[in-house]
Short mmCIF file of all heavy atoms in Angstrom, two decimals:
data_model
loop_
_atom_site.label_atom_id
_atom_site.label_comp_id
_atom_site.label_asym_id
_atom_site.label_seq_id
_atom_site.Cartn_x
_atom_site.Cartn_y
_atom_site.Cartn_z
N LEU A 1 0.64 16.44 -4.35
CA LEU A 1 1.76 15.96 -5.03
C LEU A 1 2.38 17.07 -5.84
O LEU A 1 1.69 17.74 -6.69
CB LEU A 1 1.28 14.85 -5.98
CG LEU A 1 2.45 14.16 -6.84
CD1 LEU A 1 3.48 13.59 -5.81
CD2 LEU A 1 1.85 13.23 -7.83
N ILE A 2 3.67 17.31 -5.38
CA ILE A 2 4.34 18.42 -6.22
C ILE A 2 5.41 17.71 -6.98
O ILE A 2 6.22 16.99 -6.57
CB ILE A 2 5.05 19.27 -5.03
CG1 ILE A 2 4.01 19.83 -4.06
CG2 ILE A 2 5.80 20.46 -5.69
CD1 ILE A 2 4.57 20.60 -2.82
N LEU A 3 5.43 18.16 -8.40
CA LEU A 3 6.32 17.66 -9.22
C LEU A 3 6.78 18.74 -10.23
O LEU A 3 5.93 19.54 -10.60
CB LEU A 3 5.77 16.44 -10.05
CG LEU A 3 5.54 15.18 -9.21
CD1 LEU A 3 4.87 14.22 -10.11
CD2 LEU A 3 6.92 14.65 -8.70
N PRO A 4 7.91 18.63 -10.94
CA PRO A 4 8.34 19.60 -11.97
C PRO A 4 7.92 19.22 -13.29
O PRO A 4 8.66 19.14 -14.12
CB PRO A 4 9.86 19.57 -11.80
CG PRO A 4 10.15 18.16 -11.41
CD PRO A 4 9.07 17.73 -10.48
N VAL A 5 6.58 19.03 -13.47
CA VAL A 5 6.05 18.73 -14.84
C VAL A 5 4.66 19.35 -15.02
O VAL A 5 3.94 19.36 -14.03
CB VAL A 5 6.07 17.17 -14.93
CG1 VAL A 5 4.96 16.56 -13.93
CG2 VAL A 5 5.56 16.72 -16.32
N GLY A 6 4.42 19.74 -16.14
CA GLY A 6 3.13 20.39 -16.56
C GLY A 6 2.25 19.50 -17.23
O GLY A 6 2.06 18.36 -16.92
N ASP A 7 1.53 20.01 -18.32
CA ASP A 7 0.64 19.29 -18.94
C ASP A 7 1.10 18.32 -20.16
O ASP A 7 0.69 18.40 -21.29
CB ASP A 7 -0.43 20.24 -19.61
CG ASP A 7 -1.23 20.95 -18.55
OD1 ASP A 7 -1.42 20.36 -17.43
OD2 ASP A 7 -1.62 22.11 -18.83
N VAL A 8 2.12 17.48 -19.65
CA VAL A 8 2.64 16.52 -20.55
C VAL A 8 1.95 15.25 -20.56
O VAL A 8 1.79 14.74 -19.36
CB VAL A 8 4.17 16.34 -20.31
CG1 VAL A 8 4.74 15.25 -21.24
CG2 VAL A 8 5.00 17.64 -20.47
N GLY A 9 1.47 14.69 -21.59
CA GLY A 9 0.76 13.46 -21.51
C GLY A 9 1.69 12.24 -21.49
O GLY A 9 2.72 12.24 -22.24
N GLU A 10 1.44 11.40 -20.57
CA GLU A 10 2.32 10.05 -20.51
C GLU A 10 1.33 8.90 -20.53
O GLU A 10 0.35 8.87 -19.81
CB GLU A 10 3.07 10.13 -19.15
CG GLU A 10 3.78 8.84 -18.86
CD GLU A 10 5.07 8.66 -19.68
OE1 GLU A 10 5.44 9.60 -20.37
OE2 GLU A 10 5.52 7.44 -19.74
N PRO A 11 1.68 7.89 -21.38
CA PRO A 11 0.89 6.69 -21.33
C PRO A 11 1.33 5.66 -20.32
O PRO A 11 1.85 4.58 -20.63
CB PRO A 11 1.19 6.12 -22.80
CG PRO A 11 2.70 6.57 -23.07
CD PRO A 11 2.85 7.96 -22.28
N PHE A 12 0.91 6.08 -19.09
CA PHE A 12 1.29 5.21 -17.95
C PHE A 12 0.85 3.75 -18.13
O PHE A 12 -0.20 3.56 -18.77
CB PHE A 12 0.64 5.66 -16.74
CG PHE A 12 1.01 7.18 -16.28
CD1 PHE A 12 0.10 8.19 -16.43
CD2 PHE A 12 2.32 7.49 -15.73
CE1 PHE A 12 0.57 9.42 -16.13
CE2 PHE A 12 2.60 8.64 -15.37
CZ PHE A 12 1.71 9.72 -15.54
N ILE A 13 1.71 2.89 -17.65
CA ILE A 13 1.45 1.46 -17.86
C ILE A 13 1.41 0.66 -16.64
O ILE A 13 2.24 0.99 -15.67
CB ILE A 13 2.44 0.78 -18.91
CG1 ILE A 13 1.99 -0.68 -19.17
CG2 ILE A 13 3.87 0.85 -18.32
CD1 ILE A 13 2.76 -1.29 -20.38
N ASP A 14 0.60 -0.29 -16.46
CA ASP A 14 0.67 -1.20 -15.22
C ASP A 14 1.83 -2.14 -15.23
O ASP A 14 2.21 -2.85 -16.15
CB ASP A 14 -0.60 -2.05 -15.43
CG ASP A 14 -0.87 -2.80 -14.07
OD1 ASP A 14 -0.10 -2.87 -13.21
OD2 ASP A 14 -2.12 -3.38 -13.95
N ALA A 15 2.56 -2.08 -14.15
CA ALA A 15 3.75 -3.01 -13.89
C ALA A 15 3.23 -4.42 -14.18
O ALA A 15 4.23 -5.24 -14.39
CB ALA A 15 4.29 -2.71 -12.62
N GLY A 16 2.03 -4.70 -13.79
CA GLY A 16 1.54 -6.02 -13.93
C GLY A 16 1.56 -6.49 -15.50
O GLY A 16 1.81 -7.74 -15.74
N ASP A 17 1.18 -5.56 -16.36
CA ASP A 17 1.35 -5.86 -17.80
C ASP A 17 2.63 -6.14 -18.28
O ASP A 17 2.97 -6.91 -19.02
CB ASP A 17 0.68 -4.64 -18.56
CG ASP A 17 -0.83 -4.61 -18.48
OD1 ASP A 17 -1.56 -5.69 -18.27
OD2 ASP A 17 -1.44 -3.55 -18.67
N ILE A 18 3.60 -5.29 -17.67
CA ILE A 18 5.01 -5.44 -18.06
C ILE A 18 5.52 -6.93 -17.51
O ILE A 18 6.12 -7.64 -18.27
CB ILE A 18 6.01 -4.39 -17.38
CG1 ILE A 18 5.63 -3.04 -17.91
CG2 ILE A 18 7.41 -4.64 -17.58
CD1 ILE A 18 6.18 -1.93 -17.24
N ALA A 19 5.11 -7.28 -16.40
CA ALA A 19 5.47 -8.61 -15.93
C ALA A 19 4.89 -9.74 -16.72
O ALA A 19 5.57 -10.64 -16.98
CB ALA A 19 5.00 -8.80 -14.44
N ASP A 20 3.67 -9.52 -17.18
CA ASP A 20 3.01 -10.57 -18.05
C ASP A 20 3.79 -10.72 -19.33
O ASP A 20 3.98 -11.80 -19.85
CB ASP A 20 1.55 -10.15 -18.42
CG ASP A 20 0.65 -10.42 -17.18
OD1 ASP A 20 1.04 -11.10 -16.19
OD2 ASP A 20 -0.46 -9.81 -17.09
N VAL A 21 4.26 -9.51 -19.98
CA VAL A 21 4.99 -9.61 -21.10
C VAL A 21 6.33 -10.32 -20.86
O VAL A 21 6.81 -11.17 -21.72
CB VAL A 21 5.33 -8.20 -21.70
CG1 VAL A 21 6.31 -8.18 -22.87
CG2 VAL A 21 3.97 -7.54 -22.13
N ALA A 22 6.99 -10.05 -19.71
CA ALA A 22 8.29 -10.64 -19.37
C ALA A 22 8.08 -12.10 -19.23
O ALA A 22 8.98 -12.91 -19.71
CB ALA A 22 8.77 -9.95 -18.14
N VAL A 23 7.12 -12.62 -18.50
CA VAL A 23 6.85 -13.99 -18.24
C VAL A 23 6.58 -14.73 -19.58
O VAL A 23 7.17 -15.79 -19.86
CB VAL A 23 5.63 -14.20 -17.41
CG1 VAL A 23 5.22 -15.69 -17.33
CG2 VAL A 23 5.93 -13.69 -15.95
N ALA A 24 5.86 -14.10 -20.55
CA ALA A 24 5.62 -14.70 -21.89
C ALA A 24 6.92 -14.86 -22.60
O ALA A 24 7.25 -15.91 -23.15
CB ALA A 24 4.58 -13.94 -22.65
#
């Protein structure tokens, strides 16, 4: 995987969690 990003921390989230929040 080649990307233009270094050691930046990202709090990746599950799309399923987003969907659960939306449904609520």
